[in-house]
Amino acid sequence: MKTITTLLFLIAVYTLIPITLSAQGDSLSIKGVMILASNDSTSTDPSLKAYEKNLRRLFNFSSYKRYGSGNTRLSIPGKSTLSMGHGHQVEIDVKPINQQKSRIGIRWVKNGKLQINTTMAMVRGKPAVLGGPSVKGGNLILILTAH
């Protein structure tokens, strides 16, 4: 009988954990960096030094330059928009997975025209990298970091 009571208690606790996490009104700060990747030179913008190793591993370009950036803060679950510059906006829809991980829907729009619509998992503190549309002279890359 004690085993059944313990089991029911554990089921109740695990069932209520997601409700408790959502009800806490947890918030998330998201920083976005838009990068122009090209083969115009062999330089990397010094402000992108922290990302350079991953950029070179993931993409086959010789030059990476900051093209725009934006920040937002939102409640989880929640929606917000990052204005990245050059007519680019990133609409995000965040849903919790656990305290460190969230599922993020991303709609990348330029001047009202949809460029990319995707969903990915984000871990707090770890940059998520998304290859973007081509532009004159190269391709855009989006790096999102949640804190």
Side-chain angles (χ1 to χ4, degrees):
M1 186 70 167
K2 185 176 181 182
T3 304
I4 292 174
T5 304
T6 304
L7 183 59
L8 289 174
F9 174 76
L10 290 174
I11 290 171
V13 168
Y14 284 113
T15 304
L16 293 174
I17 285 175
I19 295 168
T20 304
L21 292 176
S22 296
Q24 288 176 344
D26 197 14
S27 65
L28 194 63
S29 176
I30 297 180
K31 174 185 172 187
V33 177
M34 190 169 50
I35 298 166
L36 174 60
S38 70
N39 290 314
D40 290 344
S41 69
T42 57
S43 66
T44 296
D45 187 326
S47 69
L48 302 175
K49 198 70 170 166
Y51 308 117
E52 184 176 18
K53 184 178 177 182
N54 282 334
L55 290 170
R56 295 204 182 277
R57 181 178 55 82
L58 295 170
F59 302 99
N60 191 25
F61 293 99
S62 59
S63 173
Y64 299 94
K65 302 207 182 317
R66 182 181 292 263
Y67 195 68
S69 63
N71 295 297
T72 191
R73 185 166 194 79
L74 63 146
S75 295
I76 300 174
K79 295 180 183 183
S80 189
T81 301
L82 292 150
S83 294
M84 302 299 291
H86 301 277
H88 293 268
Q89 291 188 318
V90 178
E91 301 166 0
I92 53 176
D93 182 2
V94 178
K95 294 184 172 74
I97 295 174
N98 59 39
Q99 285 188 333
Q100 290 299 311
K101 198 179 220 183
S102 298
R103 180 156 317 283
I104 181 167
I106 301 168
R107 292 188 74 237
W108 187 341
V109 178
K110 181 182 182 196
N111 298 325
K113 184 179 177 188
L114 183 64
Q115 302 292 303
I116 293 176
N117 188 15
T118 191
T119 302
M120 62 191 324
M122 284 188 68
V123 177
R124 287 182 192 251
K126 292 189 179 182
V129 182
L130 179 64
S134 61
V135 294
K136 185 178 180 181
N139 275 72
L140 294 178
I141 297 169
L142 179 65
I143 297 178
L144 296 173
T145 308
H147 298 282

